[in-house]
Amino acid sequence: MTSDREARPTEPTTADVVDAVGPRLRALRTRQDVTLAALAERTGISVSTLSRLESGQRKPTLELLLPLARAYQVPLDDLVGAPPTGDPRVHLKPERHGRRVVIPLTKRSGGVRSFKQLIEPNDHGSDTTLKTHEGYEWLYVLSGRLRLVLGDEVFDLGPGEVAEFDTHTPHWVGNVSTQVTEVLCLYGPQGERAHVRSKPAPRPY
């Protein structure tokens, strides 16, 4: 019985990729019906160098591959056969938590992660209990108004304002306005103590 590890195809090493360039160049030249002499005239690379590239006796370099890519009118990746890097896009999957919609903006599960939150108006009707936990929070208000209760202090933040604080400090974040509030959030390991770039409200709600 074959294990999952044995059945899983191995990724090509750098040496494998380099070794495959020569045969790929020869196959491409044959497919386009180009002689070594004609290719040398197009690229300015000598016939002997081209021949050694195709046989693997000469290692491919960027200076050699760029004129070859132009001569064959193909992307450089087609000559190298570089493995695909994967889709870098993050497919957003909004999640609803009470009166909030949370949209993850990063894929990874550890370290610092980013989210966008849409907080419905009059969010103070939900649980306003001050909470503590490991890590830190960084908040950037995109639109609307955000209220941050941090210990005994209350801060009202508007668009463009930022708050960063240690989450060991009792805190609550919500929307007490009549508009939807959009917030960009970073959550991660414990950072510095509370650091807020906004004017404190005169008194708690």
Side-chain angles (χ1 to χ4, degrees):
M1 181 175 179
T2 304
S3 67
D4 291 342
R5 180 175 297 178
E6 292 173 342
R8 190 179 300 124
T10 57
E11 293 292 330
T13 65
T14 300
D16 293 334
V17 173
V18 171
D19 290 344
V21 170
R24 185 173 288 103
L25 290 174
R26 182 181 291 111
L28 184 58
R29 182 173 60 81
T30 301
R31 190 161 62 247
Q32 294 195 10
D33 195 22
V34 180
T35 65
L36 284 174
L39 186 59
E41 187 175 347
R42 290 186 196 175
T43 61
I45 302 172
S46 68
V47 170
S48 61
T49 297
L50 291 172
S51 178
R52 285 187 292 146
L53 268 176
E54 291 185 358
S55 65
Q57 297 176 15
R58 174 72 181 266
K59 286 190 176 181
T61 64
L62 192 60
E63 290 77 9
L64 294 173
L65 293 179
L66 281 175
L68 286 170
R70 284 194 294 267
Y72 289 131
Q73 296 184 335
V74 297
L76 186 61
D77 283 355
D78 284 5
L79 301 185
V80 179
T85 57
D87 188 349
R89 294 173 297 178
V90 178
H91 300 286
L92 309 180
K93 294 182 179 179
E95 301 173 1
R96 175 167 285 278
H97 299 277
R99 297 175 61 83
R100 308 181 185 205
V101 175
V102 180
I103 307 170
L105 301 178
T106 50
K107 293 180 180 178
R108 61 181 180 176
S109 57
V112 177
R113 300 187 65 199
S114 61
F115 299 84
K116 181 180 179 180
Q117 287 194 32
L118 304 177
I119 308 176
E120 295 180 3
N122 301 312
D123 186 49
H124 58 288
S126 61
D127 184 11
T128 57
T129 304
L130 301 187
K131 298 179 180 178
T132 63
H133 53 84
E134 294 290 331
Y136 76 86
E137 291 187 17
W138 181 93
L139 309 170
Y140 178 88
V141 181
L142 297 169
S143 65
R145 303 293 302 180
L146 184 73
R147 176 153 293 181
L148 167 64
V149 181
L150 194 59
D152 295 329
E153 296 186 278
V154 178
F155 304 87
D156 284 326
L157 292 81
E161 290 190 292
V162 177
E164 182 180 12
F165 56 92
D166 185 330
T167 51
H168 287 98
T169 304
H171 61 279
W172 177 85
V173 178
N175 176 12
V176 298
S177 73
T178 59
Q179 307 175 48
V180 173
T181 297
E182 294 182 282
V183 185
L184 181 64
C185 311
L186 296 182
Y187 301 122
Q190 182 176 347
E192 299 178 356
R193 296 294 296 179
H195 179 63
V196 180
R197 302 184 184 91
S198 65
K199 295 182 179 179
R203 55 187 173 83
Y205 57 89

